[in-house]
């Protein structure tokens, strides 16, 4: 007997019983983006490795340790995408889309990182994100915050905190970097090994350390906000004013630096305490220099991504029942002639009732076994087709979730009945 083949660790299957919630969330979020004037964009799962190393930064954990990369037969270095902003930027440059004006796009799909799998952190995970190209004012990031805030309200999600910060301009960050390196060098004996490594290549990431033993040292470190240039200060004030107009509460988190090198100015995260260590549900910020860094003409940009797996974990943690209930019908057919007729009737019902789920039994079992399948499908109604119903040109309809009586009626009347 052959050994059973299992899924790769950290890469999970989506089972049929889970799919309704996933499909509902994907559709709900897509409709929300479209309602704000965004258009869908789809980029390849595989890109040249340089796409990510140039965009994300070679000193980041993602590029150093977490990407799935290989050399193909032509000698090209390729990688599975660990995030999608870099691919979207590459697409914008390759097709010269910013020349057509401000671009507002959204995407969805699988991302891949070679991490230690744990609850809320997987090697294959799904993100939905939005990016805006060509707008350099704080209104752009405020609109992204408004979209996410509307989503939480629409889904009924509670206990989310918006955290914001500013990373300033590249010049201001360079000045701050020197101050930060000097500070942590003076206290190098208190740094863990990961922070000592980051001290030389990415000192701002030390501020985001999860090591509790270092939090007092980090809290006493110089604050980036004290080294901002005037334009960055003004941009951050405008951002906060927009949030005030939207009546969206926030806290300023000076330790919020994000894990990718391309961010500047505004950064933000929606976090929750309901999921333990994996508390970030949605995150993003401004990356005005990335398009030029990737080989395009200078173009301001801002975006965010939310993780579907964590969003679903949060929905489950808060016991939310958010998938819209949809009426469903199970057609029970008895006999060969009824099986043939059921195909015609199911097609007519689908045309007349496009929002209703219709199960047409394909088991050819007894009436008892077909009713069991109708119950298992959680159907609202059973339509029964037998020789008598066909001869009388009628259907038998039986409610399955209440004590309603079984009724015989024509197809036309049945459609009106099911619409009610």
């Amino acid at each position: 007997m052959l050994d059973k083949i299992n899924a790769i660790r950290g890469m999970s299957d989506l089972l049929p019983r889970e799919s309704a919630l996933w499909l509902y969330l994907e559709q709900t979020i897509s409709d929300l983006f479209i309602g704000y004037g965004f258009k869908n964009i789809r980029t390849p799962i595989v890109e040249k490795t340089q796409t990510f190393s140039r965009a994300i930064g070679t000193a980041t954990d993602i590029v150093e340790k977490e990407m799935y990369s290989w050399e193909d037969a032509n000698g090209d270095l390729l990688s599975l995408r660990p995030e999608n902003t870099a691919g979207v930027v590459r697409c914008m440059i390759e097709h010269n889309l910013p020349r057509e004006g401000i671009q507002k796009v959204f995407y969805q799909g699988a991302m891949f990182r070679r991490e230690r799998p744990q609850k809320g952190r997987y090697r294959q995970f799904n993100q939905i994100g939005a990016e805006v190209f060509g707008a350099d004012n704080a209104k752009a990031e405020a609109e992204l915050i408004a979209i996410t805030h509307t989503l939480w309200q629409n889904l009924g999600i509670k206990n989310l905190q918006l955290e914001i910060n500013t990373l300033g301009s590249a010049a201001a960050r360079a000045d701050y970097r020197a101050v930060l390196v000097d500070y942590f060098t003076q206290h190098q004996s208190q740094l863990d090994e990961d922070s000592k490594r980051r001290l030389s290549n990415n000192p701002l990431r030390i501020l985001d350390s999860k090591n509790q033993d270092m939090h007092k040292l980090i809290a006493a470190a110089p604050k980036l906000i004290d080294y901002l240039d005037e334009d960055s200060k003004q941009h951050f004030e405008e951002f906060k004013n927009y949030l005030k107009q939207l009546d969206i509460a926030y806290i300023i988190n000076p330790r919020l630096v994000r894990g990718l090198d391309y961010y500047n100015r505004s950064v933000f995260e929606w976090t929750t305490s309901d999921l333990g260590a994996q508390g970030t549900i949605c995150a993003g910020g401004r990356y005005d220099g990335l398009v030029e860094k990737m080989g395009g003409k200078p173009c301001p940009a801002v975006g965010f991504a939310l993780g579907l797996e964590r969003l679903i974990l949060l929905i489950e943690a808060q016991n939310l029942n958010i998938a819209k209930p949809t009426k469903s019908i199970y057609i029970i057919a008895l006999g060969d002639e009824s099986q043939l007729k059921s195909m015609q009737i199911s097609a007519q019902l689908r045309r007349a009732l496009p929002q209703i789920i219709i199960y047409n039994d394909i088991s050819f079992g007894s009436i008892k076994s077909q009713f069991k399948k109708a119950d298992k499908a959680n159907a609202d109604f059973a339509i029964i087709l037998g020789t008598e119903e066909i001869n009388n040109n009628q259907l038998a309809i039986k409610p399955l979730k209440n004590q309603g009586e079984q009724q015989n009626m024509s197809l036309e009347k049945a459609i009106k009945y099911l619409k009610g």
Side-chain angles (χ1 to χ4, degrees):
M1 184 176 177
L2 294 175
D3 292 337
K4 182 176 68 172
I5 300 174
N6 294 324
I8 298 169
R9 184 169 177 255
M11 300 185 180
S12 303
D13 299 308
L14 174 64
L15 303 181
R17 63 175 176 268
E18 303 164 335
S19 62
L21 177 57
W22 279 78
L23 290 170
Y24 174 77
L25 283 175
E26 289 169 345
Q27 188 64 55
T28 297
I29 298 171
S30 295
D31 288 346
L32 183 59
F33 283 138
I34 292 168
Y36 274 84
F38 285 70
K39 295 182 179 179
N40 190 228
I41 190 170
R42 304 191 184 199
T43 61
I45 290 176
V46 176
E47 297 267 3
K48 292 181 179 178
T49 301
Q50 188 182 22
T51 301
F52 305 113
S53 60
R54 186 187 296 185
I56 299 171
T58 55
T60 59
D61 288 348
I62 294 174
V63 172
E64 284 185 340
K65 299 184 291 187
E66 297 172 1
M67 288 206 303
Y68 286 94
S69 301
W70 67 95
E71 183 178 317
D72 74 357
N74 296 323
D76 293 325
L77 287 176
L78 307 178
S79 297
L80 289 173
R81 61 187 183 194
E83 58 94 55
N84 209 32
T85 297
V88 172
V89 170
R90 190 269 312 148
C91 176
M92 286 285 156
I93 297 169
E94 185 170 338
H95 301 281
N96 203 12
L97 295 180
R99 71 177 178 180
E100 301 170 8
I102 291 175
Q103 298 290 313
K104 297 168 68 175
V105 298
F106 73 96
Y107 61 83
Q108 66 284 314
M111 312 294 155
F112 303 84
R113 296 186 190 180
R114 188 187 283 112
E115 298 186 282
R116 182 174 65 84
Q118 53 189 296
K119 188 176 182 180
R121 187 180 290 272
Y122 310 104
R123 290 178 173 175
Q124 177 177 322
F125 55 98
N126 292 271
Q127 285 187 340
I128 295 183
E131 317 284 352
V132 180
F133 295 87
D136 64 357
N137 57 75
K139 188 175 182 180
E141 47 259 57
E143 183 176 64
L144 294 178
I145 297 294
I147 292 172
T148 54
H149 186 257
T150 299
L151 177 63
W152 314 143
Q153 290 181 319
N154 290 350
L155 297 178
I157 292 176
K158 308 294 184 185
N159 196 25
L160 277 175
Q161 173 71 62
L162 174 62
E163 301 180 12
I164 66 172
N165 193 22
T166 178
L167 302 181
S169 65
R173 208 160 55 254
D175 291 341
Y176 175 65
R177 184 184 190 278
V179 172
L180 202 62
V181 168
D182 183 60
Y183 171 78
F184 282 124
T185 299
Q186 294 178 40
H187 300 86
Q188 194 162 357
S189 62
Q190 299 178 50
L191 299 180
D192 58 23
E193 290 305 314
D194 201 35
S195 296
K196 288 178 181 177
R197 180 177 57 84
R198 286 173 171 167
L199 184 58
S200 59
N201 55 31
N202 199 354
L204 267 70
R205 286 301 313 282
I206 299 175
L207 301 175
D208 197 32
S209 172
K210 303 299 187 289
N211 187 340
Q212 296 289 333
D213 295 335
M214 288 175 47
H215 279 192
K216 183 180 274 189
L217 176 67
I218 291 170
K223 303 294 187 291
L224 173 57
I225 201 164
D226 296 329
Y227 295 84
L228 294 180
D229 54 280
E230 288 305 314
D231 285 346
S232 295
K233 288 180 181 178
Q234 182 179 347
H235 188 94
F236 195 47
E237 288 302 315
E238 290 173 357
F239 181 35
K240 292 187 290 184
N241 285 336
Y242 278 118
L243 295 179
K244 184 177 180 181
Q245 290 297 316
L246 290 165
D247 197 26
I248 297 176
Y250 63 86
I251 63 169
I252 297 174
N253 179 1
R255 294 178 55 224
L256 177 58
V257 296
R258 305 293 298 125
L260 308 178
D261 278 0
Y262 53 63
Y263 285 112
N264 72 302
R265 289 190 171 179
S266 310
V267 289
F268 53 86
E269 290 186 355
W270 285 99
T271 62
T272 180
S273 59
D274 289 350
L275 296 181
Q278 308 304 329
T280 300
I281 304 300
C282 170
R286 183 165 283 281
Y287 49 95
D288 291 335
L290 183 56
V291 176
E292 186 176 12
K293 184 180 179 183
M294 293 282 287
K297 295 178 181 179
C299 179
V302 61
F304 75 81
L306 65 88
L308 276 177
E309 283 87 355
R310 289 193 193 176
L311 180 57
I312 288 172
L313 285 173
L314 183 59
I315 288 169
E316 292 171 347
Q318 296 187 0
N319 295 314
L320 300 177
N321 184 17
I322 65 167
K324 290 182 178 178
T326 303
K327 278 185 185 177
S328 58
I329 302 165
Y330 199 98
I331 300 177
I332 293 173
L334 305 172
D336 292 343
E337 187 180 0
S338 299
Q339 293 289 352
L340 287 171
K341 189 69 174 177
S342 72
M343 295 297 288
Q344 181 190 56
I345 288 173
S346 67
Q348 291 172 303
L349 288 171
R350 291 181 204 280
R351 286 194 293 269
L353 305 167
Q355 301 304 316
I356 290 182
I357 299 172
I358 299 172
Y359 302 96
N360 194 347
D361 185 84
I362 56 174
S363 69
F364 286 63
S366 66
I367 187 170
K368 183 177 180 180
S369 69
Q370 289 188 53
F371 263 111
K372 283 185 178 179
K373 289 180 174 63
D375 288 336
K376 188 174 182 179
N378 200 30
D380 296 287
F381 300 92
I383 287 181
I384 305 159
L385 281 176
T387 304
E388 183 179 344
E389 286 78 20
I390 291 175
N391 289 339
N392 294 328
N393 201 27
Q394 288 191 322
L395 310 173
I397 297 184
K398 179 177 178 60
L400 298 177
K401 293 184 178 178
N402 57 46
Q403 301 303 313
E405 295 291 325
Q406 180 172 314
Q407 302 179 57
N408 284 25
M409 61 187 75
S410 66
L411 177 61
E412 292 75 16
K413 286 186 177 179
I415 289 170
K416 290 181 182 178
Y417 173 78
L418 293 167
K419 281 183 177 178

